[in-house]
Amino acid sequence: MWQKSALAVCMSLSCAMASAAAQTPPAAAPAAAYDAELAKSLGGDERGMRQYVLVILKTGPNKVADKDARAQMFKGHFANMERLAGEKKLVLAGPLDGVEGRRGIFVFNTPDIETAKTWVATDPVIINGEMVAEYHKFYGSAAVMAVNDIHNKIQKK
């Protein structure tokens, strides 16, 4: 009887070991080599990070109701973002889902909130009160600095 029990335990252990071996992930690929020149060109610190200002655009007190004026305002908004990106000031932007009035974000290439405020003040949605801006210091990957260059290569104009 003990032999049947021992055999059952051995079979259970063998199955468990085979299952564990099958679930062991393959060895991780070696990390990419550190590129000091690239890190420096993107403003990265020893962690590959840098300081930015994150701006959250929220619904403002004024809704521009006139259809043509609204269209012109948003045309100016997009032109302003394109200009700031071309000047390497705006490194990332995009719309949000509107939950709790949050409508979009900007990530600016500056650690200084006052500087970011001067850049945001040039935007027609801010000028017209359609949106208001909330400012936050943000520490993130320096690789974000390459987003616009990559985006320009993948967007159809």
Side-chain angles (χ1 to χ4, degrees):
M1 184 70 151
W2 68 270
Q3 291 174 334
K4 282 187 178 179
S5 295
L7 182 59
V9 168
C10 286
M11 289 180 68
S12 294
L13 285 173
S14 294
C15 288
M17 289 171 55
S19 176
Q23 293 176 9
T24 301
Y34 173 70
D35 186 332
E37 186 175 318
L38 179 59
K40 183 179 179 183
S41 75
L42 298 174
D45 62 15
E46 67 279 352
R47 292 181 181 88
M49 308 280 277
R50 63 176 294 147
Q51 294 288 333
Y52 301 96
V53 171
L54 168 69
V55 178
I56 300 173
L57 298 173
K58 298 170 77 174
T59 299
N62 303 326
K63 179 169 174 103
V64 176
D66 180 77
K67 185 178 178 183
D68 292 335
R70 188 172 185 78
Q72 280 301 112
M73 176 184 64
F74 277 101
K75 183 178 178 183
H77 171 63
F78 292 113
N80 192 59
M81 287 188 294
E82 198 167 311
R83 177 185 63 82
L84 290 168
E87 294 171 359
K88 305 289 187 195
K89 295 174 181 175
L90 180 65
V91 296
L92 182 66
L96 295 175
D97 55 13
V99 173
E100 296 180 353
R102 293 182 189 96
R103 296 175 59 184
I105 64 163
F106 291 152
V107 175
F108 282 109
N109 177 16
T110 181
D112 182 60
I113 288 176
E114 292 307 313
T115 298
K117 284 181 178 181
T118 65
W119 297 341
V120 171
T122 65
D123 198 296
V125 298
I126 298 297
I127 294 166
N128 287 291
E130 176 78 25
M131 295 185 201
V132 294
E134 181 181 291
Y135 299 85
H136 303 274
K137 290 190 176 230
F138 174 62
Y139 182 64
S141 174
V144 174
M145 293 298 297
V147 166
N148 285 323
D149 292 336
I150 295 167
H151 181 77
N152 288 334
K153 293 175 184 176
I154 64 170
Q155 73 172 332
K156 291 183 181 179
K157 295 192 178 198

